[in-house]
Amino acid sequence: MFVIDRRIGALFVIGNLLGDEMELCELIENFCSWEAMVGNRGKLKDFYIPNYILVGGAVPKIKFAPACPVIVFVNTRSGGQLGGELVLTYRALLNEHQVFDLGQTAPDKVLHKLYVALETLKGRGDVLAADIQKRLRIIAAGGDGTAGWLLSVVSDLKLPNPPPIATMPLGTGNNVHFAFGWGKKNPGTDRQSVQYFLNQVKTAKEMKIDSWHIIMRMRTPKEGSCDPIAPLDLPHSLHAFHQVSKTDTLNLEGFQTFRGGFWNYFSMGMDAQISYDFHAQRKLHAEKFNNQLINQSTYFKLGCTQGWFFASLMHPSSRNIAHLTKIKIMKRQGHWEELHISPSIRSIVCLNLPSFSGGLDPWGKPNRKKLRYRDLTPPYVDDGLLEIVGFRDAWHGLALLAPKGHGTRLAQAHRIRFEFCKGAVDHTFMRIDGEPWKQPLPVDDDTVVVEISHFGQLSMLATPSKRSKSISDPASPASSHDDDDDSSNEEEYPEDSGERRKFGASDTFKIPDGIDIAHFS
């Protein structure tokens, strides 16, 4: 006595209608092959990648092409620490081999292995492998640092047909996520919430985004460690680099070089200091940071205790940006000019996306007359320009909550350089895409140089509620900035080397330029 699956029973009915026993057998065989390929019931076939592509094994007879194959990376240490539950839900809905915990598996290893398999199968005439490679999308579940990490890895690996990336918000700020319409709040981890998010990924549109390369250069100490920054304190997308180039004037013998990249923003000053203190506390007491609202309130309290709201009284002027560094910008190729800023500016932000500090837009919407007067353009995420904004204190930052609020618009540039000489302080704080660090400054006559330059572009996935604007999108014209859409209290202030070709985020596997990944097995 046995129970026949209702779906197979339905196939018998169809076979009887067809009146052909051979066709019935073929129908049932194909169905069983698909069931074997997908596995247990409840799997989402539109997003499913079969085992033979992910881990090898026998190739099934029938190969159903998923509409939106995905690879999911979850940072279980991000934000509210919901990642563990999210991993379990994704693995219940998809093939468990296409869902990865970033705390256990490096994303570059995963993508390298996957693309080698896809290229190998394509070479054997596997149509499904070619289709999956063409439609593949990546989900990065985590905070801003996780999003930047995945973007940097995809850029470094120079994959054939690089997959676009959707970001699932698990962090505290989730600025990248908000800029592309994925929201700021941590998502639900139940099956219904995850399935809703996957359906959003399936219908999301691709959108190009600029990437920015950062190089830090400082003299190697005569005594002590040659690494001025402890490796554990560095963001994922910033690391030591020891190659010396004869063509790069910044890269000299006797100097320590760090390089990396960012996609949303680089900031320096008091905002980065508060972020650094927040990350330090979370690292020491992770169990206290398991709720997004608690994390945000802790962040606010740190801003108060650090004097960000009473900066003129509690923050020494020696830490203000104008006293710390000389800033040069390049508006046109090959022409550097010094950027003069107010002595009261305590934080500076180099912004690529219209989302900072929990989704606020520091640049705002300058009117057309002011754009023309100051030689500015509307802010786009793919125009090769950074928007440079300054803040005096937290009260200045709170102006962003107003409909027409913004920071002090300083400039737009293709390239920016910070030069730090010996001063009254021996360190400052910096942050890229949500990941802060404590940066040593010169104690003698040497100079620390931080230079940011345009690098290239990758594809993000965006929902209809996105805030980011593309220069190639007809729905984002310059004329959308109305003449009266501005506040009246704005302060007005009037050689690429080989080492810039990669961010270095995919440190465990680097493919040389011009080499086809299919040749690696």
Side-chain angles (χ1 to χ4, degrees):
M1 187 75 179
F2 61 90
V3 178
I4 301 177
D5 189 302
R6 282 182 295 179
R7 293 169 294 176
I8 295 181
L11 292 177
F12 272 107
V13 173
I14 295 172
N16 288 331
L17 291 174
L18 291 173
D20 189 320
E21 195 171 312
M22 292 296 293
E23 286 188 34
L24 172 62
C25 292
E26 184 178 351
L27 196 63
I28 293 175
E29 183 181 5
N30 286 343
F31 173 81
C32 292
S33 297
W34 168 242
E35 285 290 291
M37 183 167 70
V38 170
N40 299 329
R41 299 181 192 177
K43 304 293 184 179
L44 302 180
K45 299 176 183 178
D46 278 352
F47 309 94
Y48 192 94
I49 299 178
N51 260 340
Y52 85 98
I53 289 177
L54 296 169
V55 295
V59 179
K61 294 181 180 180
I62 183 173
K63 291 185 262 187
F64 178 83
C68 181
V70 295
I71 292 292
V72 182
F73 294 102
V74 182
N75 191 340
T76 53
R77 301 174 183 174
S78 288
Q81 300 183 22
L82 301 172
E85 299 173 22
L86 206 56
V87 168
L88 295 176
T89 304
Y90 269 116
R91 286 178 176 169
L93 292 172
L94 306 172
N95 187 333
E96 63 178 17
H97 297 296
Q98 68 189 96
V99 182
F100 300 91
D101 179 351
L102 286 172
Q104 300 176 359
T105 310
D108 49 321
K109 288 184 176 181
V110 172
L111 294 175
H112 167 225
K113 179 181 177 181
L114 173 64
Y115 271 81
V116 167
L118 289 172
E119 289 290 331
T120 302
L121 290 166
K122 278 172 55 181
R124 298 173 184 170
D126 192 317
V127 177
L128 177 60
D131 192 74
I132 285 178
Q133 181 174 315
K134 180 181 178 181
R135 301 187 189 187
L136 184 66
R137 299 187 164 194
I138 289 177
I139 294 174
D144 291 315
T146 303
W149 185 14
L150 263 297
L151 281 161
S152 299
V153 164
V154 171
S155 177
D156 274 0
L157 289 178
K158 300 190 180 298
L159 302 169
N161 189 30
I165 297 175
T167 54
M168 192 173 196
L170 284 185
T172 302
N174 300 318
N175 294 292
V176 175
H177 316 66
F178 187 63
F180 292 95
W182 299 105
K184 291 184 289 185
K185 295 182 179 180
N186 294 162
T189 59
D190 58 284
R191 293 175 67 99
Q192 184 177 357
S193 298
V194 171
Q195 189 165 348
Y196 175 77
F197 182 85
L198 285 168
N199 286 328
Q200 281 189 301
V201 172
K202 183 167 64 173
T203 58
K205 303 298 183 183
E206 290 191 36
M207 188 174 186
K208 292 294 183 183
I209 175 178
D210 288 326
S211 60
W212 297 88
H213 193 275
I214 182 169
I215 291 180
M216 278 197 315
R217 188 94 8 71
M218 62 203 76
R219 184 175 293 279
T220 305
K222 295 179 181 178
E223 299 179 0
S225 171
C226 65
D227 291 335
I229 306 172
L232 293 179
D233 289 339
L234 287 172
H236 283 111
S237 54
L238 193 66
H239 68 109
F241 182 71
H242 302 288
Q243 176 183 331
V244 176
S245 169
K246 295 180 180 179
T247 60
D248 191 342
T249 55
L250 284 180
N251 201 353
L252 303 172
E253 290 284 2
F255 283 74
Q256 183 75 3
T257 304
F258 294 84
R259 67 169 188 166
F262 66 92
W263 307 83
N264 188 7
Y265 66 86
F266 166 87
S267 71
M268 178 178 63
M270 204 164 187
D271 73 292
Q273 178 180 347
I274 296 168
S275 178
Y276 181 84
D277 290 342
F278 173 83
H279 278 69
Q281 288 196 22
R282 187 169 65 181
K283 187 180 294 186
L284 289 174
H285 307 286
E287 70 282 356
K288 297 181 180 179
F289 294 81
N290 56 5
N291 180 280
Q292 189 180 34
L293 290 176
I294 293 176
N295 294 354
Q296 291 171 344
S297 64
T298 303
Y299 209 101
F300 179 78
K301 290 176 185 176
L302 284 172
C304 295
T305 57
Q306 292 289 351
W308 188 216
F309 283 89
F310 305 97
S312 59
L313 299 175
M314 303 179 66
H315 191 269
S317 60
S318 58
R319 289 192 178 275
N320 291 6
I321 301 301
H323 294 283
L324 281 177
T325 180
K326 179 187 294 185
I327 304 174
K328 296 180 180 179
I329 61 173
M330 186 182 291
K331 293 184 178 180
R332 296 181 299 275
Q333 189 64 35
H335 179 69
W336 287 101
E337 59 184 85
E338 189 167 348
L339 179 64
H340 298 280
I341 63 173
S342 167
S344 64
I345 296 296
R346 295 178 175 85
S347 283
I348 191 168
V349 182
C350 302
L351 193 70
N352 187 42
L353 306 180
S355 183
F356 176 76
S357 190
L360 302 176
D361 183 3
W363 188 258
K365 297 179 180 180
N367 62 46
R368 286 177 292 177
K369 291 179 181 178
K370 196 159 287 186
L371 287 174
R372 288 194 297 267
Y373 173 72
R374 299 195 55 196
D375 190 26
L376 301 175
T377 64
Y380 297 115
V381 300
D382 55 352
D383 60 356
L385 290 172
L386 282 173
E387 282 70 48
I388 306 170
V389 188
F391 291 97
R392 297 184 300 275
D393 51 30
W395 301 111
H396 192 187
L398 288 177
L400 301 182
L401 297 174
K404 300 177 184 178
H406 56 83
T408 300
R409 301 181 186 117
L410 300 173
Q412 288 174 306
H414 295 283
R415 207 161 183 167
I416 181 169
R417 178 185 291 187
F418 300 88
E419 297 178 356
F420 302 86
C421 297
K422 181 181 178 180
V425 296
D426 59 3
H427 68 272
T428 187
F429 295 88
M430 299 180 180
R431 181 167 57 146
I432 51 178
D433 287 357
E435 295 192 280
W437 75 96
K438 185 177 181 179
Q439 174 60 41
L441 297 180
V443 293
D444 47 30
D445 294 332
D446 293 324
T447 301
V448 171
V449 176
V450 176
E451 185 175 313
I452 298 168
S453 56
H454 187 257
F455 183 80
Q457 291 184 333
L458 275 185
S459 292
M460 293 290 290
L461 289 170
T463 73
S465 59
K466 68 182 185 300
R467 292 183 64 181
S468 298
K469 305 294 184 183
S470 169
I471 197 169
S472 60
D473 184 357
S476 308
S479 59
S480 65
H481 299 275
D482 298 329
D483 285 352
D484 61 349
D485 192 11
D486 201 3
S487 58
S488 58
N489 61 349
E490 179 182 9
E491 298 177 39
E492 299 288 357
Y493 299 95
E495 73 278 343
D496 286 348
S497 66
E499 73 176 66
R500 299 178 197 268
R501 294 175 188 164
K502 294 185 178 180
F503 290 122
S506 54
D507 198 35
T508 54
F509 179 78
K510 297 187 176 79
I511 304 175
D513 292 337
I515 301 298
D516 189 347
I517 191 172
H519 296 161
F520 293 88
S521 61

